[in-house]
Amino acid sequence: MSDRTMLLFGRSTYSVPRMTKRAFQVLLAVALTAGAALIILSLNNVLTTQSGWRQGVNAWFAFIRRSDILGTIVLTAVVTVVSVYWTPDAGKK
């Protein structure tokens, strides 16, 4: 069994080690979570106060720079990726 897998970027495919693909998936999940938090905090700041987007982004920076928040985001992403690949043939039964 090969220790390499395919990583897709648009129409291009790259043969990479499995751990690289898993690390990329975790990084992508962390980025998507941080992006969702940015949208939620920015829209919340615009809709509930008399301030604008800039103060919403500043609130997001203050939120995302906290180590407990980053730790929770990364831990959730790691657990999700591990749980998806823990039993790869579980869905085939």
Side-chain angles (χ1 to χ4, degrees), residues 16-33:
V16 296
R18 290 189 188 276
M19 289 303 293
T20 302
K21 184 175 181 179
R22 302 301 182 257
F24 178 75
Q25 290 171 333
V26 168
L27 183 66
L28 182 63
V30 167
L32 288 173
T33 304

Side-chain angles (χ1 to χ4, degrees), residues 3-24:
D3 194 39
R4 299 185 71 77
T5 185
M6 300 306 288
L7 184 62
L8 303 174
F9 282 118
R11 295 182 182 177
S12 302
T13 59
Y14 302 99
S15 177
V16 296
R18 290 189 188 276
M19 289 303 293
T20 302
K21 184 175 181 179
R22 302 301 182 257
F24 178 75

Side-chain angles (χ1 to χ4, degrees), residues 41-42 45 53-65:
L41 287 172
S42 295
N45 203 28
W53 291 98
R54 185 175 302 187
Q55 288 182 344
V57 171
N58 289 338
W60 177 76
F61 275 127
F63 176 75
I64 208 70
R65 286 183 181 161

